[in-house]
């Protein structure tokens, strides 16, 4: 169809509840839009292995999927074992930035995700953040891995203290975002959800005026800014103030089926 929309959806806190469930109203709206020929895809900080099951829950097979905060773009390939192949992978050497952060947050927990979605980590890490698997290693073992993503968790800090520490680090050589809690995601320099989504939009030949992006976290800010230039940038109602500030519209919270409300208003 010539007037189709590109709908890019964050997963956690936007589609998915904390218990791993998806509201039937969201599933229904996604089915409605895909049935009309619109391109509904995922753009997430999750690894590939943690993302693909959500496609199954939604019942969609989009042409592209953006994972690891933009570091990995998947393309649909029915011949691939899981139905998708890694089309674009952005990596970086995390040694310098890990060493820098460690000087400020020596007691934090660190993880590095490689291009296969395998995590190596120090300390305790939520099992849900792992991709195809994980292995506890020493901090020094993390420094030479080609990374698509670095994750830092600092359980001993509240959010405001953590933000203050992050601001002193000057992480200008990499892209980074801070999550809901004391959680820091770091991607290759200049890479975020928006950079990958702009590439996808061009490949699909969908005008920027027919883009809708929805999210709830600080790693969605660039995506919402990108969508809001000509299209629609939807922030979930429970999002932090700095996420709400960059949206063109605010919908209900995830507990109120806010995503379904926003999608119902699309076409």
């Amino acid at each position: 169809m010539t007037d189709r929309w590109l709908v890019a959806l964050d997963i956690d806190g936007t589609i998915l509840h904390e218990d791993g469930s998806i509201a039937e109203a969201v599933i229904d709206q996604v089915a409605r839009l895909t049935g009309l020929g619109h391109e509904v895809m995922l753009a997430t900080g999750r690894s590939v292995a943690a993302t693909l099951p959500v496609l199954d829950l939604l019942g969609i097979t989009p042409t592209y999927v953006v994972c690891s905060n933009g570091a990995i773009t998947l393309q649909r390939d029915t011949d691939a074992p899981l139905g998708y192949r890694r089309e674009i992978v952005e990596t970086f050497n995390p040694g310098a930035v890990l060493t820098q952060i460690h000087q400020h947050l020596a007691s934090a927990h660190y993880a590095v995700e490689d291009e296969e979605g395998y995590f190596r980590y120090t300390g305790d890490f939520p099992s849900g953040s792992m991709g195809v698997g994980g292995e506890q290693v020493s901090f020094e073992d993390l420094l030479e891995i080609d990374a698509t993503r670095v994750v830092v968790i600092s359980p001993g800090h509240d959010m405001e203290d953590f933000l203050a520490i992050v601001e002193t680090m000057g992480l200008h050589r990499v892209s980074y975002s801070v999550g809901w809690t004391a959680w820091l995601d770091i991607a290759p320099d200049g890479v975020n959800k928006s950079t990958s989504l702009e590439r996808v939009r061009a490949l699909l030949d969908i005008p920027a005026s027919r883009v809708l992006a929805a999210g709830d976290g600080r790693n969605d800010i660039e995506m919402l800014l990108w969508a809001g230039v000509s299209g629609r940038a939807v922030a979930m109602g429970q999002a932090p103030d700095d996420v709400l500030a960059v949206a063109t519209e605010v919908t209900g919270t995830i507990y109120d089926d806010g995503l379904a409300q926003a999608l119902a208003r699309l076409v």
Side-chain angles (χ1 to χ4, degrees), residues 3-227:
D3 59 348
R4 64 179 176 158
W5 280 73
L6 173 60
V7 180
L9 305 176
D10 169 54
I11 294 179
D12 296 286
T14 301
I15 293 173
L16 211 65
H17 288 257
E18 290 180 1
D19 64 359
S21 65
I22 303 177
E24 286 298 325
V26 170
I27 294 173
D28 291 345
Q29 286 300 321
V30 168
R32 180 183 71 85
L33 291 174
T34 55
L36 291 172
H38 302 291
E39 185 74 6
V40 181
M41 63 173 293
L42 302 179
T44 177
R46 287 182 168 219
S47 65
V48 172
T51 300
L52 293 180
V54 182
L55 294 177
D56 294 335
L57 290 174
L58 287 172
I60 59 174
T61 53
T63 307
Y64 296 98
V65 178
V66 171
C67 303
S68 300
N69 286 317
I72 297 177
T73 301
L74 305 177
Q75 184 168 355
R76 181 71 176 156
D77 183 350
T78 55
D79 293 328
L82 296 175
Y84 284 88
R85 68 174 186 269
R86 286 168 167 79
E87 181 66 12
I88 300 169
V89 178
E90 309 259 16
T91 63
F92 70 109
N93 185 292
V97 69
L98 279 171
T99 301
Q100 180 183 1
I101 297 172
H102 196 257
Q103 293 171 356
H104 296 269
L105 295 167
S107 62
H109 304 167
Y110 297 86
V112 172
E113 179 187 353
D114 67 19
E115 61 183 282
E116 299 302 322
Y118 192 82
F119 274 86
R120 294 170 180 85
Y121 61 94
T122 68
D124 296 322
F125 252 79
S127 59
S129 65
M130 299 301 172
V132 296
E135 174 187 2
Q136 190 172 42
V137 299
S138 70
F139 178 79
E140 289 71 25
D141 289 335
L142 300 177
L143 303 181
E144 297 300 326
I145 300 168
D146 285 337
T148 56
R149 180 166 64 130
V150 168
V151 179
V152 183
I153 301 176
S154 188
H157 291 92
D158 65 29
M159 194 59 192
E160 292 306 314
D161 289 342
F162 187 67
L163 284 170
I165 292 172
V166 170
E167 287 301 314
T168 68
M169 294 181 189
L171 301 176
H172 59 280
R173 290 166 297 179
V174 293
S175 298
Y176 71 95
S177 60
V178 179
W180 271 94
T181 57
W183 178 297
L184 178 66
D185 262 310
I186 301 169
D189 190 22
V191 173
N192 54 61
K193 292 184 182 183
S194 74
T195 58
S196 295
L197 285 171
E198 174 56 24
R199 187 184 293 122
V200 167
R201 184 201 64 76
L203 288 168
L204 294 174
D205 195 26
I206 296 176
S209 60
R210 288 201 292 273
V211 165
L212 180 148
D216 74 309
R218 291 184 173 90
N219 65 328
D220 296 316
I221 287 175
E222 292 90 352
M223 177 177 74
L224 294 176
L225 287 169
W226 164 79

